[in-house]
């Protein structure tokens, strides 16, 4: 396995990696705190959270296996060359474990707090069982973006989460660039294409959410879903019996 050629670049790599870790990890807390203070998860898309858990779980498995398993590392070197470095850092492992824990806490909040008439879609449940990390990164943001557009509001969705996620994405991408510059090789990017796309896709959707919050719907209350305040809690996933009775 290759070693660092430049000590300053190695230090920069570590700093950027842990900056990404803290930015991305802290980004989970504004939504958890907001839910706790409101004792409500109305405005937070449940599909977003479920798909997020699936995505982070698969990312955690990938990071742990490549970082700790000599067998998998050997397979990586056989494919990309023994002169390359492992593209997974300690901060990647730490982040993915933390992400799974915090997303699970958010799911618990969805189960115990007021959620109006919002539910997890059956399509989302099915996709969460079949998806992989990058695909999940793409589709997990879409339900929340659509909900914000439909409600013409981001009320109930923490923008602090997005700002920190955006910072983490930039730091994560910069960390990979530093390693590539030091090694004079871009294998780091396509050798860990999941991490590369994770950063770019996160940045792209974060920009969309920031535009929705600060430009399109600044400080607006939702103009639809008014029945959320009029109806009590309902099951997260509507059963087939319920659907049939409603159609009678």
């Amino acid at each position: 396995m290759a070693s660092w050629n430049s000590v300053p670049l190695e230090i920069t790599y570590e700093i950027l990696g842990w900056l990404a870790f803290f930015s991305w990890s802290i980004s989970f807390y504004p939504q958890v705190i907001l839910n706790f203070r409101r004792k409500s998860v109305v405005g937070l898309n449940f599909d977003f959270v479920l798909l997020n858990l699936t995505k982070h779980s698969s990312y955690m498995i990938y990071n742990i296996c490549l970082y700790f398993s000599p067998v998998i590392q050997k397979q990586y070197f056989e494919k990309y060359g023994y002169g390359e470095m492992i593209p997974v850092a300690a901060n990647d492992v730490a982040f993915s474990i933390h992400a799974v824990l915090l997303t699970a806490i958010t799911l618990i909040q969805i189960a115990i707090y007021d959620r109006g008439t919002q539910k997890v879609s059956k399509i989302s449940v099915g996709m969460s069982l079949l998806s992989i990390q990058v695909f999940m990164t793409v589709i997990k943001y879409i339900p929340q973006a659509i909900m914000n557009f439909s409600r013409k509001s981001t009320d109930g969705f923490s923008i602090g989460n997005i700002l920190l996620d955006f910072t983490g994405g930039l730091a994560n991408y910069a960390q990979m660039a530093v390693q590539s510059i030091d090694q004079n090789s871009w294998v780091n990017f396509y050798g860990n294409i999941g991490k590369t796309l994770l950063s770019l896709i996160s940045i792209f959707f974060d920009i969309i959410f920031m535009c929705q919050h600060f430009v399109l719907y600044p400080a607006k209350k939702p103009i639809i879903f008014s029945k959320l305040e009029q109806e009590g809690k309902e099951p997260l996933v509507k059963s087939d019996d319920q659907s049939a009775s409603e159609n009678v």
Side-chain angles (χ1 to χ4, degrees), residues 103-200:
T103 307
I105 290 175
T106 306
L107 277 176
I108 293 174
Q109 290 182 318
I110 289 175
I112 65 176
Y113 290 156
D114 174 38
R115 54 182 176 269
T117 58
Q118 292 177 221
K119 302 175 181 68
V120 176
S121 70
K122 291 184 177 180
I123 294 177
S124 175
V125 174
M127 287 191 298
S128 68
L129 301 176
L130 302 173
S131 304
I132 59 175
Q133 179 218 342
V134 175
F135 179 62
M136 294 302 303
T137 303
V138 175
I139 65 174
K140 75 162 187 172
Y141 291 105
I142 295 176
Q144 186 68 55
I146 293 175
M147 173 179 277
N148 293 344
F149 172 76
S150 299
R151 300 169 75 231
K152 297 297 186 289
S153 171
T154 57
D155 184 54
F157 181 59
S158 174
I159 192 61
N161 171 7
I162 299 305
L163 296 175
L164 289 165
D165 188 57
F166 181 74
T167 302
L170 290 177
N172 193 52
Y173 197 78
Q175 182 193 30
M176 298 179 70
V178 167
Q179 181 175 331
S180 294
I181 293 172
D182 178 81
Q183 298 295 304
N184 194 28
S185 170
W186 297 103
V187 171
N188 181 45
F189 281 91
Y190 60 81
N192 191 1
I193 191 66
K195 184 176 179 179
T196 302
L197 293 179
L198 175 65
S199 298
L200 294 178

Side-chain angles (χ1 to χ4, degrees), residues 19-245:
L19 173 61
F21 165 79
F22 284 111
S23 297
W24 271 346
S25 296
I26 296 173
S27 74
F28 288 89
Y29 289 91
Q31 187 68 57
V32 172
I33 294 173
L34 179 63
N35 296 341
F36 175 76
R37 288 176 175 174
R38 298 168 71 230
K39 296 297 186 291
S40 170
V41 290
V42 174
L44 174 63
N45 190 277
F46 301 164
D47 292 353
F48 171 84
V49 179
L50 179 61
L51 296 173
N52 208 18
L53 179 64
T54 306
K55 188 266 292 189
H56 285 307
S57 297
S58 60
Y59 188 49
M60 178 184 68
I61 295 171
Y62 167 82
N63 284 333
I64 291 176
C65 289
L66 187 53
Y67 191 78
F68 291 107
S69 173
V71 175
I72 295 178
Q73 289 178 1
K74 182 175 181 294
Q75 293 175 342
Y76 179 87
F77 291 137
E78 288 176 348
K79 181 174 182 179
Y80 294 108
Y82 284 88
E84 301 296 335
M85 300 177 69
I86 290 295
V88 174
N91 60 273
D92 296 320
V93 178
F95 162 71
S96 56
I97 294 175
H98 178 271
V100 170
L101 293 175
L102 265 293
T103 307
I105 290 175
T106 306
L107 277 176
I108 293 174
Q109 290 182 318
I110 289 175
I112 65 176
Y113 290 156
D114 174 38
R115 54 182 176 269
T117 58
Q118 292 177 221
K119 302 175 181 68
V120 176
S121 70
K122 291 184 177 180
I123 294 177
S124 175
V125 174
M127 287 191 298
S128 68
L129 301 176
L130 302 173
S131 304
I132 59 175
Q133 179 218 342
V134 175
F135 179 62
M136 294 302 303
T137 303
V138 175
I139 65 174
K140 75 162 187 172
Y141 291 105
I142 295 176
Q144 186 68 55
I146 293 175
M147 173 179 277
N148 293 344
F149 172 76
S150 299
R151 300 169 75 231
K152 297 297 186 289
S153 171
T154 57
D155 184 54
F157 181 59
S158 174
I159 192 61
N161 171 7
I162 299 305
L163 296 175
L164 289 165
D165 188 57
F166 181 74
T167 302
L170 290 177
N172 193 52
Y173 197 78
Q175 182 193 30
M176 298 179 70
V178 167
Q179 181 175 331
S180 294
I181 293 172
D182 178 81
Q183 298 295 304
N184 194 28
S185 170
W186 297 103
V187 171
N188 181 45
F189 281 91
Y190 60 81
N192 191 1
I193 191 66
K195 184 176 179 179
T196 302
L197 293 179
L198 175 65
S199 298
L200 294 178
I201 294 170
S202 296
I203 291 171
F204 173 76
F205 278 99
D206 288 339
I207 292 174
I208 291 178
F209 287 131
M210 286 188 285
C211 287
Q212 287 182 322
H213 184 84
F214 294 111
V215 180
L216 298 177
Y217 322 123
K220 285 187 178 181
K221 294 295 182 181
I223 62 175
I224 62 174
F225 298 146
S226 58
K227 65 179 181 179
L228 295 180
E229 287 79 20
Q230 301 174 3
E231 301 184 21
K233 293 184 179 179
E234 296 186 7
L236 283 177
V237 182
K238 186 179 295 185
S239 66
D240 294 333
D241 292 339
Q242 286 178 300
S243 300
S245 63

